[in-house]
Amino acid sequence: MAAAGAHRPGPLKQQNKAHKGGKHSGSSQRRAGGRVPVKAQPRRRLRDLNRVDRRHQALQLRRQRKEAVLAEKRSLGTRDGPPHLVVVVLLHSRAAAHDSLRLLQSQDSAVVRADEGGAGGFALLCPRLKQRWRFVTAQAGDLHAVLDLAKVADSLLFILDPVDGWDSAGEYCLSCLFAQGLPSYALAVPGGTDLPPKKRIDTRKKLSKSIEKRFPEAKLFPLNTEQESSLLLRHLSSQKQRHLAFRDRRAHLLARAAEFVPSQDSDLVGTLKVSGFVRGQTLSVNSLVHIVGHGDFQLSQVDAPPDPLSLNPRVVKGQKRSQDMEVQDDSGNGADEMEEDVKVLMKADPSKQESLQSEVVPDPMEGEQTWPTEEELQEAEDSLKANRRVVKVPKGTSKYQAAWIVDDGEEGSVKDDDDDEDDDMDDDLMEEAVSQEGDSSEEEAGEEESETMTVSECLRDDQYDEKMEEDEQMLERYKQERMDEMFPDEVDTPRDVPARVRFQKYRGLKSFRTSPWDPKENLPRDYARIFQFQDFSRTRKNLFRQIEKEETEGASVGWYVTLHVCNVPISVMESFKEGKPLVLFSLLPHEQKMSVLNFLVRRHPGNSEPVRAKEELIFHCGFRRFRASPLFSQHTSADKHKLERFLRPDAALVVTVYAPITFPPASVLLFKQRSNGMHDLIATGSLLSVDPDRIVIKRLVLSGHPFKIFTKTAVVRYMFFNREDVMWFKPVELRTKWGRRGHIKEPLGTHGHMKCHFDGQLKSQDTVLLNLYKRVFPKWTYDPHVPEPVPWVRSESALPEQEVEME
């Protein structure tokens, strides 16, 4: 009975908190008594390390990093690694490169060997220091040569002027190098010994202060004696190497010698035998190689000739060295002697070799979207020619204006691309302006011939008129950019064409941010030619992990090899003979295939000219160089991105083009070619992604003005000019510049007036807007062949002469 009547706790019994005083550091280990659970996670074990173990672990990590840096320094320029490649860059027109290189060659017990080709480089072998260098001088003013050599250089040696440091051409060169990625560098200042001692000290202080902005914590090395040159060499060999990600994951090679063997079918195409030292990664014969500036090619064979820059004393001293020097002087005899010692390392396996296919051959039976064939397009064109008629137009009507004068049955053939229409209109206007100006100039020339005028003055006037035409085109671009800033995306509704026909490819969105848009809808025909990844980031991660862990069969880093490159045009060999650097990069899987690349760029502060979307630009992307017509869009985290008509100077934009796949990280430089052949750097950035599904939306804004204003309704005019257009665009939401939102209720009359309802009363100064959207795609204008730019030195020297002539 006592047990039955005992007190039982209810559901509201007080629950006291547990004591937490025993959770300080070390208490859990004391309670466990040294026992470790079976399913302990690695992160948990790292957290449970005591202070002594954590210090020991940090010390081990520091030692590993230090040993890795030391191993890299010991392998570069030694017997087991490739020669230390130093590229000499002149930053001033008065910089003396010849004297500096002669001082570097005058080292004790050093052997100097000249390179083949017209580049004028040389190799420096120092058996006493167990180091070997290869010095290559970039041609003054050649932008492509400087950027190509910087892609593969271990160190850059900048030659400065003792007074000014660098000029405007040097500043432009530094901007491009910093944007591309700067490897290890050193600053050398030859000359200045003819200045008085006091002035010499002041000049050096001024120069040191000026380089602090560009090169913080950099050291200036005078280069006037042999002792100073040896100090510079020691600094180059002992400084920490900077890594460029796009070249560390790919095998690359700078050609030391090259030979062209024509094919049996044609003398213009053949096999190019390129000899050089492998750098970066192991080079496989089955992978593709990219010759910078010339395209992608396959390898057929890799040979192992004897190392011409060996540090072995048995090779350097005695008669063998004189034979090696004869090899450098007489390339024909040297080639015959070296062919006896050449060993074939590997030959390409056709079953494992990468294909050169860069585009997909579309199957018309597989796609959901049907495209017209060539025969159907030809039939349509013939039918249009047959139905073509003569239309009377008012006098002075241009081609652009005459194109819009159509019958009711021809409304469906109206062109809808706003950019193309603007371009056609601009072209017609420019043609009329040029023709009028040409007529006026001919009349003036006729009047001036009756007067006393020399032929030279007429030539100057013609040149001046050409400059004025360029100025007029530039002025028109400035006006368009200014109008786009003041009235973004606003267009005028055409009066002679129904708006529902003119804007038939556009749609309205309830919300630009949240409204859905299918990325596979209404794709252009070019999208059937490109490749696309199911998950690009995962593919990139797996590929890089495979490069780090697995060992690739092929030529190891530091080997001197000869690559047999198949089906190479003879122009590659001609450029090498002219002194251009020949740079090869091995391609990762899929990097020869075309896709849609997105670059995140920012406008370069040194350039302010307007750059319109779909203009042809020159891209330097990682190790590639090509021309394309890009789109500009905003950089946001949304699923839709608004098109920008001009490259904005105050924000980072995304540039979209058709180009070969490249795995990031990779730097990108955008250039625009002038009419005189110079390349202007307009933007710099990096590769963002390879994503054809990135939706770029073009927005059009139709504007109207309130005619009669009531409490929450208003009569709006000038947005449309017929009743049918008002009914067609009735479902689209309206907004005003002052933040009101509304919709169209009904049309009034037959001339485009409409009654609209808003969430508040409008102001008379307000403007009613209607937004329309359309997805746009870049143009397929990819061209891997980029013309050589005009050197900076010539352009700068020519400017004063032109100014004198015009005066």
Side-chain angles (χ1 to χ4, degrees):
M1 296 295 293
H7 175 70
R8 297 181 184 274
L12 302 178
K13 176 176 168 45
Q14 179 179 350
Q15 298 289 339
N16 295 326
K17 285 185 174 181
H19 182 57
K20 295 183 179 180
K23 289 192 177 182
H24 55 80
S25 177
S27 63
S28 59
Q29 294 181 1
R30 287 196 298 270
R31 285 198 301 269
R35 294 188 300 271
V36 179
V38 178
K39 296 184 179 180
Q41 299 295 328
R43 296 180 181 177
R44 180 72 176 271
R45 287 203 301 268
L46 290 177
R47 259 198 311 267
D48 291 343
L49 292 177
N50 56 22
R51 183 172 60 180
V52 178
D53 293 340
R54 289 197 301 270
R55 283 185 178 178
H56 183 62
Q57 187 184 40
L59 181 62
Q60 286 179 332
L61 292 175
R62 282 197 300 269
R63 284 177 179 173
Q64 289 177 3
R65 296 193 191 100
K66 189 175 181 180
E67 289 174 0
V69 173
L70 290 176
E72 183 183 6
K73 287 183 180 179
R74 290 167 185 154
S75 64
L76 183 62
T78 58
R79 182 183 61 183
D80 299 330
H84 194 133
L85 180 58
V86 181
V87 175
V88 182
V89 181
L90 305 180
L91 296 183
H92 202 282
S93 58
R94 294 196 301 265
H98 182 70
D99 298 338
S100 305
L101 297 179
R102 191 175 67 248
L103 280 174
L104 293 172
Q105 295 176 8
S106 62
Q107 299 295 317
D108 294 337
S109 67
V111 180
V112 180
R113 296 183 183 176
D115 287 346
E116 296 182 12
F122 66 92
L124 188 65
L125 307 179
C126 295
R128 183 174 59 86
L129 300 176
K130 296 182 180 180
Q131 289 282 330
R132 51 180 181 172
W133 291 271
R134 184 185 174 193
F135 288 87
V136 180
T137 305
Q139 296 182 2
D142 192 346
L143 177 65
H144 287 177
V146 173
L147 293 179
D148 292 348
L149 288 173
K151 289 179 174 70
V152 294
D154 297 317
S155 300
L156 295 181
L157 179 59
F158 294 114
I159 306 297
L160 308 179
D161 182 68
V163 180
D164 298 331
W166 56 78
D167 52 8
S168 59
E171 178 70 23
Y172 181 64
C173 175
L174 288 177
S175 300
C176 298
L177 288 175
F178 272 92
Q180 177 180 268
L182 195 66
S184 303
Y185 60 88
L187 305 176
V189 185
T193 55
D194 53 344
L195 298 175
K198 186 176 180 181
K199 192 173 182 180
R200 193 185 312 167
I201 295 173
D202 296 340
T203 303
R204 186 174 179 81
K205 287 182 179 179
K206 183 180 178 182
L207 183 59
S208 301
K209 195 171 183 180
S210 63
I211 68 171
E212 285 181 357
K213 296 180 180 179
R214 275 288 188 183
F215 306 98
E217 300 179 0
K219 182 180 179 183
L220 284 174
F221 287 89
L223 196 58
N224 298 314
T225 61
E226 294 182 7
Q227 183 179 5
E228 293 173 347
S229 64
S230 62
L231 289 176
L232 178 60
L233 285 178
R234 287 183 180 274
H235 173 73
L236 289 173
S237 61
S238 61
Q239 68 178 348
K240 183 179 179 181
Q241 293 296 313
R242 294 187 175 188
H243 294 274
L244 299 181
F246 72 89
R247 76 177 185 187
D248 287 343
R249 292 189 175 95
R250 301 170 178 86
H252 52 277
L253 179 145
L254 176 63
R256 188 177 182 273
E259 180 186 357
F260 184 78
V261 180
S263 63
Q264 298 178 356
D265 300 334
S266 173
D267 294 339
L268 301 177
V269 180
T271 301
L272 183 66
K273 299 180 181 179
V274 183
S275 300
F277 291 90
V278 180
R279 303 170 184 272
Q281 294 287 337
T282 303
L283 179 61
S284 174
V285 70
N286 294 319
S287 62
L288 300 178
V289 294
H290 176 79
I291 302 179
V292 177
H294 299 281
D296 304 334
F297 303 95
Q298 286 181 331
L299 297 178
S300 62
Q301 182 177 323
V302 177
D303 299 339
D307 190 349
L309 305 180
S310 177
L311 285 172
N312 193 341
R314 291 176 298 179
V315 179
V316 174
K317 66 180 181 180
Q319 186 178 2
K320 187 67 176 176
R321 185 176 68 178
S322 62
Q323 291 178 359
D324 290 342
M325 296 301 292
E326 291 176 1
V327 167
Q328 301 293 336
D329 297 335
D330 191 359
S331 59
N333 298 334
D336 296 337
E337 293 177 4
M338 290 175 63
E339 283 179 0
E340 300 176 358
D341 300 332
V342 169
K343 298 178 182 179
V344 178
L345 282 181
M346 60 197 82
K347 290 189 176 182
D349 186 0
S351 61
K352 298 181 180 179
Q353 196 172 24
E354 290 282 345
S355 172
L356 279 173
Q357 181 184 2
S358 61
E359 299 179 14
V360 179
V361 179
D363 187 356
M365 302 301 294
E366 287 186 355
E368 295 181 0
Q369 305 174 28
T370 58
W371 303 102
T373 61
E374 298 295 335
E375 293 79 6
E376 293 173 348
L377 292 174
Q378 187 64 33
E379 290 177 3
E381 187 176 354
D382 295 340
S383 63
L384 286 176
K385 290 181 180 179
N387 296 330
R388 188 169 295 171
R389 61 186 180 83
V390 179
V391 181
K392 292 184 178 181
V393 296
K395 187 177 181 180
T397 305
S398 65
K399 295 179 181 178
Y400 170 76
Q401 296 169 334
W404 294 109
I405 302 178
V406 294
D407 293 335
D408 296 337
E410 299 178 355
E411 290 180 354
S413 63
V414 178
K415 194 169 64 172
D416 290 312
D417 193 345
D418 185 68
D419 289 340
D420 296 339
E421 291 173 357
D422 294 341
D423 295 341
D424 294 341
M425 181 175 62
D426 294 341
D427 294 340
D428 294 334
L429 292 176
M430 287 305 301
E431 289 176 1
E432 292 176 3
V434 171
S435 61
Q436 292 175 4
E437 187 177 358
D439 297 337
S440 62
S441 62
E442 292 175 359
E443 293 175 1
E444 292 175 3
E447 294 175 0
E448 290 173 355
E449 283 177 0
S450 62
E451 299 174 357
T452 57
M453 178 63 67
T454 59
V455 179
S456 61
E457 290 294 329
C458 295
L459 292 176
R460 290 180 190 173
D461 289 343
D462 294 340
Q463 294 177 358
Y464 189 79
D465 290 340
E466 292 177 0
K467 292 292 181 183
M468 291 303 296
E469 292 175 7
E470 295 179 3
D471 291 345
E472 289 179 359
Q473 294 177 3
M474 188 61 63
L475 177 61
E476 185 65 26
R477 289 182 179 179
Y478 275 117
K479 286 182 179 179
Q480 294 177 3
E481 186 181 27
R482 180 62 177 166
M483 291 297 294
D484 189 59
E485 290 179 1
M486 295 174 61
F487 306 100
D489 303 326
E490 289 193 30
V491 296
D492 294 331
T493 305
R495 302 194 60 177
D496 49 359
V497 178
R500 62 186 183 278
V501 176
R502 170 64 185 84
F503 306 117
Q504 60 185 346
K505 292 186 178 180
Y506 292 82
R507 69 180 71 172
L509 294 178
K510 184 176 181 61
S511 172
F512 183 82
R513 184 179 60 87
T514 60
S515 296
W517 197 300
D518 186 7
K520 304 297 184 183
E521 175 188 358
N522 292 334
L523 296 179
R525 192 172 185 178
D526 291 335
Y527 263 52
R529 303 163 58 186
I530 65 173
F531 290 84
Q532 185 173 3
F533 295 96
Q534 187 174 5
D535 191 342
F536 177 74
S537 59
R538 182 191 297 175
T539 304
R540 170 180 171 271
K541 190 182 298 183
N542 294 337
L543 186 62
F544 287 174
R545 188 184 297 116
Q546 182 180 359
I547 293 174
E548 293 177 358
K549 292 184 177 180
E550 298 183 6
E551 294 184 1
T552 308
E553 296 181 359
S556 300
V557 178
W559 290 8
Y560 185 77
V561 297
T562 299
L563 307 180
H564 293 246
V565 190
C566 304
N567 299 325
V568 179
I570 195 173
S571 58
V572 181
M573 188 64 191
E574 293 175 352
S575 66
F576 180 71
K577 289 181 179 179
E578 293 174 358
K580 308 290 183 182
L582 186 58
V583 179
L584 283 80
F585 274 85
S586 68
L587 297 181
L588 299 178
H590 314 297
E591 284 196 330
Q592 80 278 11
K593 301 173 182 177
M594 296 291 292
S595 188
V596 178
L597 272 63
N598 302 303
F599 305 97
L600 180 61
V601 302
R602 186 175 288 274
R603 188 71 180 263
H604 189 260
N607 188 280
S608 60
E609 294 184 2
V611 180
R612 192 182 177 92
K614 296 186 180 181
E615 282 190 36
E616 187 180 75
L617 300 179
I618 298 171
F619 289 75
H620 288 245
C621 173
F623 54 89
R624 290 189 186 274
R625 185 166 60 237
F626 57 89
R627 291 186 292 177
S629 301
L631 291 178
F632 304 140
S633 59
Q634 294 179 353
H635 178 50
T636 60
S637 59
D639 60 341
K640 296 181 289 295
H641 311 273
K642 194 179 85 69
L643 174 77
E644 291 289 347
R645 287 178 167 80
F646 290 89
L647 187 62
R648 301 296 181 191
D650 54 350
L653 298 180
V654 175
V655 177
T656 304
V657 293
Y658 290 111
I661 294 170
T662 304
F663 289 99
S667 60
V668 62
L669 286 77
L670 269 65
F671 293 88
K672 185 177 179 182
Q673 185 172 356
R674 293 188 196 171
S675 58
N676 60 1
M678 289 187 63
H679 290 180
D680 291 337
L681 179 63
I682 61 173
T684 60
S686 60
L687 176 60
L688 180 64
S689 64
V690 180
D691 185 13
D693 288 341
R694 190 178 192 274
I695 302 176
V696 179
I697 302 295
K698 178 181 179 181
R699 184 183 70 173
L700 284 186
V701 180
L702 304 182
S703 59
H705 302 277
F707 177 49
K708 295 179 181 179
I709 299 174
F710 303 99
T711 305
K712 283 194 176 183
T713 59
V715 177
V716 180
R717 60 180 178 179
Y718 300 149
M719 182 177 289
F720 304 108
F721 298 100
N722 58 72
R723 186 183 184 89
E724 290 77 11
D725 287 344
V726 177
M727 297 299 296
W728 181 268
F729 291 99
K730 186 177 179 180
V732 184
E733 186 181 13
L734 300 177
R735 67 178 184 88
T736 69
K737 290 189 176 181
W738 287 23
R740 296 295 181 189
R741 292 187 176 275
H743 59 274
I744 301 173
K745 291 188 68 176
E746 58 181 353
L748 298 177
T750 60
H751 290 76
H753 289 210
M754 55 187 182
K755 180 189 287 187
C756 303
H757 185 273
F758 296 92
D759 57 358
Q761 189 173 14
L762 296 186
K763 303 291 184 181
S764 59
Q765 307 93 325
D766 206 349
T767 304
V768 182
L769 306 176
L770 184 142
N771 294 340
L772 299 175
Y773 302 94
K774 178 185 74 170
R775 185 178 179 184
V776 291
F777 303 90
K779 292 183 178 180
W780 192 294
T781 57
Y782 171 78
D783 186 4
H785 303 289
V786 178
E788 293 291 332
V790 175
W792 315 306
V793 178
R794 292 182 193 169
S795 62
E796 289 183 357
S797 62
L799 284 176
E801 297 178 3
Q802 292 178 0
E803 292 176 358
V804 171
E805 290 180 359
M806 286 189 290
E807 289 176 358

